[in-house]
Amino acid sequence: MEDLILELKKKIIESLNLEEMTPDDINADDALFGDGLGLDSIDALELIVLMEKDYGIKLASPAEGKAIFKSIRTIAEYVSNHRTK
Amino acid sequence: MNSNIVITGEGIVCAVGLDKQQVLQSLQHKHTGIGVMKHLRSTHLELPVGEVPLSNDEMRNELGITDSYSNRTSLMGMLAVKQALADAGIDKQTVGKNNLRIVLVSGTTVAGMDITERFFDSLKTSNEHLACVKNHSCGRTTRMIADYFGLFDEYTTISTACSSAANALILGANMLKAGQCDMVIAGGCEALSIFHLNGFNSLMILDHEQCRPFDNNRAGLNLGEGAAFVVLEREESATKRGAEIHAYLRGYGNACDAFHQTASSENGEGAYRAMTEALQMAGLEPTDIQYVNAHGTGTPNNDMSESIALQRVFGNMMPKVSSTKSFTGHTTSASGCIETVICLLAMHHHFVPANLGFTTPMNNGIVPTMGEVDYDLRNVVCNSFGFGGNDTSLVLSLSRNDELEINNNEHLSVKELARVEITSEDELAEIRDYVKPLEARRMGKIMKSSLLSSLKALRKAGVEQPDAIITGTALGCLENSEQLLCQMTEEGEVMLKPTYFMQSTHNTIGSNIAIRLGCHGYNITYTQDEASLKWALRDAELLLRGGKCKTVLVGCHDETTPMYRELLHRMGEQEQSVIKSTSIVLTCGE
């Protein structure tokens, strides 16, 4: 799980273009949206694209992503249970 | 001087009809034009669209045009302008006899993308289709329409995404009020393209079924296409030439939601301000309005936000409301004028258009009408809201505003308080002094240079927040558009990167500045090739002399990419720099 968490942090930094951030700057349990890291609806869409492209997970709507994208850890848990690649 | 602005002619082509009569029939018989795509060559056959039922060749034949690079947007625009001119009784003879100064103001965003996306891949290696590059820009599309008629003294293009056409009507009215011309043909045109169909798909806001605006189970919008133009005149000159007055453009408001590039705020602030301002100019109370043609795209976000804004304006005296996008699809840049023409048809034929697809009310949302017959409409509101929160409302009426106040302080001089230019990429590092890295995560070169030069100019001028933001750009966020095209050619019509798409509309630049400053004032974007800055400055002067603003931030911003610079070289065109931004703060005084 820790490997997947690190992998996700790197991928998210890259796909959301979080300039000057390193995996160490993001706590796996911190909220990604709202008062946490401060991501928005476009970032959520970028995460949906990432899920599909890298892990073969198709989400039908941003609403479905809401619970999954709470933190890096919740994403990691979802990915390890549902990945098809 | 009675400077009420009147409409004396209309032209329309959209999914429910190729002229006013056909559109009227479809509206009255509740026939939607949304269905399976026939002309767009997309692989997304599962997505319903509202197509104009003509091929490009059929349109070229009808217009007598042979240029195979003439894009669909311009062809539809020509058809609609032609109808509008005929409807108002305008031809070369009338223009010559009355010495009329006519201006064409068109709203578009997609412009030549339908042709560019077809030849994009080949442009990398071959010169065969190089001719399509010049026809790509929004400004060029308007120029093609103007050249076709040879009637216009001037022409310009407004690109504020889905409110473009409505804003074209505002500029036209302001130019007429200031006496800068005698007649304006204003409206918008937008063809479907694979580019923006996939772009909207990447934002996950396309309904895979017929759209259901204001329904609790709404799941997004259906894209449409079309064009509509109206003939605007001062009432006195229309009367003088014996023209029939179809309606009054009695009020209008343009405000910025200043919230997010692709989402509307929860309290509908921009929409509320636009409607309030339009009613105020019209000299009307909310209770004077019998019908609102809503923006009503069918996305969960828009319809909720617009409902709140409507409730804030109309309280418990809600007029009839419907979204006719359930007939036409969302015709994006053209929608403001297509829906204006629909409002006029409804007023003249005493009915209220239906909001098709509605069955279940939303929680706390407005309840749209399923259509009314024998219903008198004297004053209506037409809403158009664009990405970046560029929100516009028009008030159309069968009667004039006798108390119309026009400030036209020609004697006032417009003064430049500050000017900042950015001409190289190295200067962009300074953005760090103003914006945190996280906030700049999606900003490309042009977004950084436009924001940086604006913030520096405002600081230099000692202005915290301008009353209006007016932007000029020839090609907008070229790099993001190119990246999306590259991704589409390499990977096909898959889930594309939403970041590329959301920054492909020209008004992203001005909205980004407004969001940063929390500026809800007038916000508009001109895209007329090398004349973009000239038009932005001209509008700023109209606003300042009209007493609507004390300070205006005007900017002109463009970027190039290695591919575009190579294309320019191959076309034998002048070199252009990687980045160029000019930001100017203007004020007005004795």
Side-chain angles (χ1 to χ4, degrees), chain A residues 4-56:
Chain A
L4 181 59
I5 284 176
L6 182 64
E7 179 184 301
L8 278 166
K9 284 182 182 176
K10 285 182 185 162
K11 280 180 192 281
I12 287 170
I13 287 170
E14 198 208 322
S15 82
L16 304 187
N17 197 19
L18 303 176
E19 284 175 29
E20 297 178 29
M21 274 199 139
T22 66
D24 290 342
D25 296 331
I26 311 173
N27 188 326
D29 295 301
D30 282 355
L32 292 174
F33 292 84
D35 293 335
L37 190 56
L39 302 184
D40 69 6
S41 58
I42 295 292
D43 297 306
L45 293 166
E46 288 287 357
L47 292 178
I48 290 176
V49 173
L50 191 146
M51 290 292 111
E52 186 172 335
K53 232 177 165 172
D54 292 4
Y55 301 106

Side-chain angles (χ1 to χ4, degrees), chain B residues 16-28:
Chain B
V16 288
L18 300 175
D19 58 34
K20 275 203 289 185
Q21 199 52 39
Q22 287 182 10
V23 173
L24 176 65
Q25 292 283 322
S26 301
L27 291 170
Q28 289 181 324

Side-chain angles (χ1 to χ4, degrees), chain B residues 70-340:
Chain B
S70 51
N71 59 61
R72 192 168 169 86
T73 296
S74 67
L75 295 169
M76 294 188 308
M78 289 172 202
L79 289 173
V81 169
K82 199 173 167 183
Q83 289 173 25
L85 290 169
D87 198 28
I90 303 295
D91 53 25
K92 274 198 170 152
Q93 242 182 335
T94 338
V95 174
K97 202 171 72 188
N98 297 297
N99 212 5
L100 295 175
R101 294 166 301 166
I102 312 190
V103 178
L104 174 69
V105 185
S106 177
T108 190
T109 304
V110 169
M113 187 57 88
D114 60 326
I115 305 289
T116 306
E117 67 191 11
R118 194 178 309 161
F119 300 122
F120 181 73
D121 207 25
S122 84
L123 286 172
K124 290 178 188 159
T125 49
S126 136
N127 283 342
E128 196 190 342
H129 300 294
L130 208 52
C132 81
V133 178
K134 274 205 154 175
N135 282 1
H136 175 79
S137 75
C138 296
R140 184 72 172 202
T141 290
T142 306
R143 183 178 152 180
M144 285 193 281
I145 300 171
D147 287 349
Y148 176 75
F149 294 96
L151 275 178
F152 302 103
D153 285 44
E154 296 180 281
Y155 52 85
T156 191
T157 313
I158 287 171
S159 198
T160 52
C162 304
S163 57
S164 303
N167 284 325
L169 267 66
I170 293 187
L171 174 72
N174 285 339
M175 287 179 74
L176 286 164
K177 285 179 183 172
Q180 294 190 352
C181 55
D182 303 307
M183 188 178 279
V184 179
I185 316 302
C189 38
E190 196 109 292
L192 281 166
S193 73
I194 298 172
F195 181 96
H196 77 286
L197 183 79
N198 279 278
F200 276 88
N201 196 37
S202 77
L203 299 180
M204 300 185 96
I205 50 174
L206 293 179
D207 197 334
H208 289 228
E209 295 169 43
Q210 298 261 332
C211 66
R212 294 152 276 176
F214 298 108
D215 191 275
N216 198 39
N217 302 314
R218 68 198 182 284
L221 58 92
N222 304 137
L223 279 175
E225 64 177 358
F229 284 85
V230 294
V231 177
L232 300 175
E233 305 179 63
R234 283 181 296 277
E235 184 177 16
E236 51 179 12
S237 37
T239 312
K240 205 168 125 195
R241 71 171 186 95
E244 190 189 329
I245 291 168
H246 296 180
Y248 290 80
L249 176 54
R250 192 161 160 163
Y252 39 84
N254 167 316
C256 189
D257 204 30
F259 175 70
H260 189 270
Q261 290 290 3
T262 57
S264 302
S265 60
E266 270 175 34
N267 64 356
E269 185 64 20
Y272 169 77
R273 285 175 187 245
M275 284 188 273
T276 309
E277 197 186 313
L279 285 168
Q280 199 180 356
M281 184 194 282
L284 293 172
E285 295 298 321
T287 46
D288 295 322
I289 302 296
Q290 292 85 35
Y291 169 59
V292 178
N293 186 298
H295 185 56
T297 57
T299 65
N301 174 246
N302 175 81
D303 294 3
M304 194 63 238
S305 176
E306 190 172 7
S307 283
I308 302 293
L310 285 166
Q311 285 158 358
R312 284 174 69 188
V313 175
F314 295 101
N316 52 13
M317 302 290 283
M318 192 64 67
K320 298 287 174 196
V321 181
S322 69
S323 164
T324 47
K325 289 183 175 70
S326 56
F327 285 88
T328 60
H330 188 357
T331 58
T332 52
S333 293
S335 64
C337 198
I338 283 182
E339 288 158 26
T340 292

